[in-house]
Amino acid sequence: MNTATLKLFISPIFFSAIVVNIHLLQVAWSTANLAGCPIQTLLLPSHPSLSDIANSTKTKAYSIIAAKGARPTAYGIASVVSSIRESILFDQRLVRPLSHWVETFGTCISLPAVIGHGGVQRTIDVPLSDAEREVLQKIAEEIKKNVKTVEEILPQV
């Protein structure tokens, strides 16, 4: 969401939002805040719309890859993996969006989780609107459908 913060001229360190579907960039705007204040209350008419911010953020990664190649994104991934590893090894209880088993959805899905000794210690219950929770449920159903398809295609090992 760095692109969104740049468009708002606010440091990314104060911006927080949950993305519930990275490929379609479904942002849970009800969770978006700047220094604890809901983003909807801070946007001026001159600011880009929330959908423009989401679309800009979605395409930013592609423009970086086009300009620099895929290698810089590999460093970002390695950095995240390293921080997860450290949180597990040193029981740091880092909170990070991470794909993990979520019982209420019956599948692995990326939601904020506390990561410490032994891996995921608990899922953070994100206060989503009804519409956002419905999108997340549809994503979970799609994941389960895809897993079932793969299980049918691949021979049992």
Side-chain angles (χ1 to χ4, degrees):
M1 296 304 295
N2 286 348
T3 303
T5 58
L6 292 174
K7 286 191 172 200
L8 295 171
F9 305 104
I10 297 170
S11 171
I13 197 163
F14 296 112
F15 182 79
S16 175
I18 302 296
V19 176
V20 295
N21 183 340
I22 192 66
H23 299 293
L24 298 176
L25 205 77
Q26 298 285 326
V27 178
W29 288 113
S30 66
T31 68
N33 70 79
L34 294 166
C37 298
I39 193 170
Q40 293 87 340
T41 64
L42 301 173
L43 291 176
L44 300 174
S46 61
H47 285 132
S49 70
L50 295 177
S51 62
D52 287 343
I53 293 170
N55 287 331
S56 176
T57 302
K58 180 180 179 182
T59 58
K60 188 67 174 177
Y62 300 120
S63 62
I64 291 170
I65 291 169
K68 297 182 177 182
R71 188 168 292 225
T73 59
Y75 294 127
I77 293 167
S79 175
V80 170
V81 169
S82 178
S83 73
I84 292 169
R85 176 193 56 85
E86 286 178 16
S87 188
I88 293 169
L89 288 174
F90 301 116
D91 197 24
Q92 293 175 334
R93 296 188 178 103
L94 174 75
V95 175
R96 182 177 293 283
L98 184 73
S99 186
H100 62 284
W101 181 262
V102 180
E103 192 64 42
T104 55
F105 293 105
T107 191
C108 290
I109 196 159
S110 185
L111 287 173
V114 177
I115 307 164
H117 183 70
V120 173
Q121 294 183 332
R122 69 182 182 97
T123 302
I124 301 296
D125 186 28
V126 180
L128 300 173
S129 70
D130 290 342
E132 292 164 345
R133 186 150 303 277
E134 187 177 313
V135 167
L136 196 56
Q137 186 63 49
K138 287 179 182 177
I139 292 167
E141 294 305 320
E142 188 69 23
I143 291 169
K144 289 191 276 190
K145 183 177 127 190
N146 290 337
V147 167
K148 185 177 181 184
T149 300
V150 170
E151 288 174 342
E152 290 170 356
I153 292 171
L154 295 177
Q156 297 296 331
V157 184

